[in-house]
């Protein structure tokens, strides 16, 4: 497998995965306008090239929430990733630990918290959705504490599921359960490598953290239906107090796209936020994270740690996000593509690509430390079209 870029890893993932899984990773909501904006607006940010600055010693390390990291990135929560490669969350967690960066386990992972904990030595992050069943949420938090998770990423931008057309067409969320199963089976036959690695050797095919509430049902329709029925559209900021009281570790609120919401997260007592539109998978037509990030960083950057995701397809994009005001960057599709393409080795390769590309970007902007990346390295006048700094 030749993989010189994240784009190469995406190509390999597309060739390896059944269509319903690739489209689940790759797709967005409705016409995927916001999905495209995330990528295009970030790519439109021009950097100021500087020369003869002595960049012989570049330090990529950073500190987030009291932990020193080898890179200012984390593998963000990605649902169903245990289906992209055999016991996929375990493989990704190992790769992240070896690279000295955090891994965040999704609520809707194939591998349960306990399985991932046994595979790594250091604490990992856990992501939780807003669910109607508060008792079940408390049980998940208790499992996370028992497994030694020190950071909770609380996702707040899914009061209802987004409408994702690709999932309907591919058979993941069909109108007919029988036709959906038939379509997925036909797609699987065309991917024998995946069928053996995951379909045969990757069992059990359950959603480990929610298996108890699914009561023995493990089909994708059962999972999708449970999510749709259990998201809580009635929750407000006032309801989040019990999360802060229950969770004693680091709390990160994910799904912030407005400075007012960022201020409310700070008031709640969160240590961090993720500027995120869920990768363009929820509200299509909302602005890109690159456009929202500077305003939010200005509003709360001195009160909590601002992270960001969305549209990151290279180490250069990581540097752009940092320049726009983020302290760290969550990777999503990038590591999911890498996992599907090559398992743990693929994720390790993706992280190495990010690292090398960050070194190039920093060297040619005259910056030798992560903490020194700020808006001074952005060339607003040269940024393309209506990029975030051309406001």
């Amino acid at each position: 497998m030749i993989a010189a870029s994240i784009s190469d890893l995406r190509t390999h993932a597309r060739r390896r995965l059944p269509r319903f899984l690739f489209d689940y990773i790759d797709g967005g909501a409705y016409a995927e306008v916001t999905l495209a904006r995330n990528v295009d607006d970030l790519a439109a940010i021009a950097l100021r090239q500087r020369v003869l600055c002595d960049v012989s010693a570049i330090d990529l390390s950073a500190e987030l929430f009291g932990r020193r990291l080898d890179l200012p990135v984390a593998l963000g929560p990605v649902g169903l990733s245990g289906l992209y490669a055999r016991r996929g969350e375990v493989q990704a967690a190992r790769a992240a630990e070896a690279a000295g960066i955090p891994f965040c386990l999704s609520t809707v992972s194939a591998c349960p918290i306990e399985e991932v904990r046994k595979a790594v030595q250091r604490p990992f992050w856990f992501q939780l959705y807003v669910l109607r069943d508060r008792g079940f949420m408390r049980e998940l938090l208790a499992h996370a504490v028992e497994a030694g998770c020190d950071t909770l990423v609380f996702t707040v931008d899914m009061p209802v599921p987004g409408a994702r057309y690709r999932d309907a067409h591919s058979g993941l969320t069909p109108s007919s359960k029988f036709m959906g199963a038939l379509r997925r089976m036909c797609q699987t036959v065309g991917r024998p490598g995946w069928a053996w690695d995951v379909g045969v050797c990757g069992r059990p095919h359950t959603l480990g953290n929610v298996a108890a509430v699914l009561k023995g049902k493990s089909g994708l329709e059962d999972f999708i239906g449970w999510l749709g029925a259990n998201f809580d559209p009635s929750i407000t900021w006032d309801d989040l107090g019990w999360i802060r009281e229950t969770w004693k570790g680091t709390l990160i609120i994910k799904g912030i796209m407005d400075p007012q919401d960022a201020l409310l997260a700070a008031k709640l007592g969160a240590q961090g936020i993720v500027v995120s539109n869920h990768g363009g998978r929820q509200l299509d037509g909302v602005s890109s994270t690159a456009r929202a990030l500077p305003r939010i960083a200005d509003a709360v950057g001195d009160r909590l740690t601002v992270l960001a995701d969305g549209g990151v397809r290279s180490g250069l994009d990581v540097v752009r996000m940092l320049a726009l005001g983020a302290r760290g960057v969550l990777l999503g599709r990038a590591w999911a593509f890498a996992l599907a393409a090559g398992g743990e080795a693929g994720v390790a390769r993706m992280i190495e690509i990010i690292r090398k590309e960050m070194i190039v970007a920093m060297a040619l902007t005259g910056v030798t430390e992560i903490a020194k990346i700020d808006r001074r390295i952005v060339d607003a006048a040269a940024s393309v079209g209506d990029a975030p700094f051309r406001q």
Side-chain angles (χ1 to χ4, degrees):
M1 178 182 73
I2 298 175
S5 66
I6 306 301
S7 178
D8 289 342
L9 292 168
R10 178 182 179 274
T11 298
H12 287 297
R14 186 168 196 165
R15 292 171 178 169
R16 180 171 174 77
L17 291 176
R19 178 189 167 190
F20 70 92
L21 281 179
F22 178 79
D23 280 357
Y24 180 75
I25 300 173
D26 195 57
Y30 297 92
E32 302 185 349
V33 172
T34 294
L35 172 60
R37 282 178 181 167
N38 279 347
V39 176
D40 294 344
D41 283 356
L42 194 54
I45 299 297
L47 301 178
R48 296 177 60 204
Q49 180 169 308
R50 302 297 304 279
V51 297
L52 303 177
C53 297
D54 186 5
V55 289
S56 57
I58 292 179
D59 183 5
L60 298 180
S61 66
E63 184 172 312
L64 288 178
F65 310 110
R67 175 179 167 187
R68 199 68 184 173
L69 309 178
D70 289 353
L71 293 169
V73 301
L75 303 190
V78 178
L80 301 182
S81 49
L83 298 182
Y84 310 152
R86 186 191 312 180
R87 314 311 290 167
E89 290 92 3
V90 166
Q91 294 197 57
R94 286 173 175 164
E97 183 171 77
I101 63 174
F103 168 78
C104 185
L105 183 69
S106 171
T107 295
V108 289
S109 59
C111 300
I113 298 173
E114 295 79 8
E115 182 179 353
V116 177
R117 177 65 187 92
K118 292 177 181 178
V120 296
Q121 301 300 314
R122 295 180 181 178
F124 55 93
W125 299 359
F126 182 65
Q127 176 266 337
L128 185 64
Y129 286 111
V130 177
L131 302 174
R132 294 178 187 272
D133 189 340
R134 300 292 193 270
F136 179 57
M137 290 176 69
R138 288 188 176 92
E139 289 180 17
L140 287 176
L141 290 176
H143 284 309
V145 170
E146 186 177 352
C149 296
D150 59 356
T151 301
L152 177 68
V153 177
F154 194 59
T155 300
V156 295
D157 60 355
M158 291 191 72
V160 293
R164 301 169 191 170
Y165 297 158
R166 281 210 230 179
D167 290 347
H169 291 300
S170 69
L172 185 63
T173 57
S175 55
S176 165
K177 184 174 181 178
F178 171 76
M179 290 304 297
L182 179 62
R183 189 174 302 172
R184 293 195 300 273
M185 183 177 67
C186 292
Q187 294 170 21
T188 299
V189 169
R191 295 292 187 267
W194 178 89
W196 174 255
D197 179 50
V198 179
V200 176
C201 301
R203 297 174 180 174
H205 298 148
T206 59
L207 295 163
N209 297 319
V210 300
V213 293
L214 287 176
K215 298 178 180 179
K217 298 179 180 179
S218 59
L220 286 174
E221 293 91 349
D222 301 315
F223 155 66
I224 298 296
W226 179 82
L227 281 182
N230 281 275
F231 287 139
D232 189 354
S234 70
I235 197 166
T236 68
W237 285 102
D238 292 336
D239 298 315
L240 263 59
W242 72 269
I243 287 285
R244 180 65 282 181
E245 294 172 2
T246 303
W247 182 260
K248 304 306 181 183
T250 299
L251 175 62
I252 302 171
I253 306 296
K254 181 177 181 290
I256 301 298
M257 287 292 290
D258 186 277
Q260 290 299 317
D261 286 337
L263 290 168
L264 289 170
K267 183 179 180 181
L268 177 71
Q271 283 82 19
I273 59 171
V274 184
V275 179
S276 172
N277 54 34
H278 218 95
R281 296 164 67 81
Q282 281 296 97
L283 178 59
D284 199 25
V286 72
S287 68
S288 67
T289 52
R291 184 173 299 282
L293 176 56
R295 298 191 298 272
I296 293 173
D298 288 344
V300 299
D302 59 342
R303 299 178 59 181
L304 44 67
T305 299
V306 178
L307 309 177
D309 69 12
V312 177
R313 300 293 186 269
S314 67
L316 175 58
D317 287 339
V318 171
V319 172
R320 286 175 168 134
M321 282 290 201
L322 298 176
L324 293 176
R327 291 275 302 281
V329 174
L330 268 62
L331 305 175
R333 287 182 177 89
W335 78 260
F337 292 147
L339 179 67
E344 182 176 342
V347 178
R349 175 59 181 154
M350 182 276 300
I351 297 170
E352 180 63 11
I353 289 170
I354 293 288
R355 187 186 71 82
K356 289 182 176 179
E357 291 175 342
M358 287 185 67
I359 289 175
V360 173
M362 292 172 66
L364 291 175
T365 53
V367 180
T368 58
E369 299 176 16
I370 295 298
K372 294 181 179 178
I373 298 176
D374 58 26
R375 297 179 195 178
R376 287 174 293 183
I377 74 168
V378 174
D379 189 342
S383 293
V384 177
D386 194 24
F389 277 126
R390 294 180 62 86
Q391 299 181 34

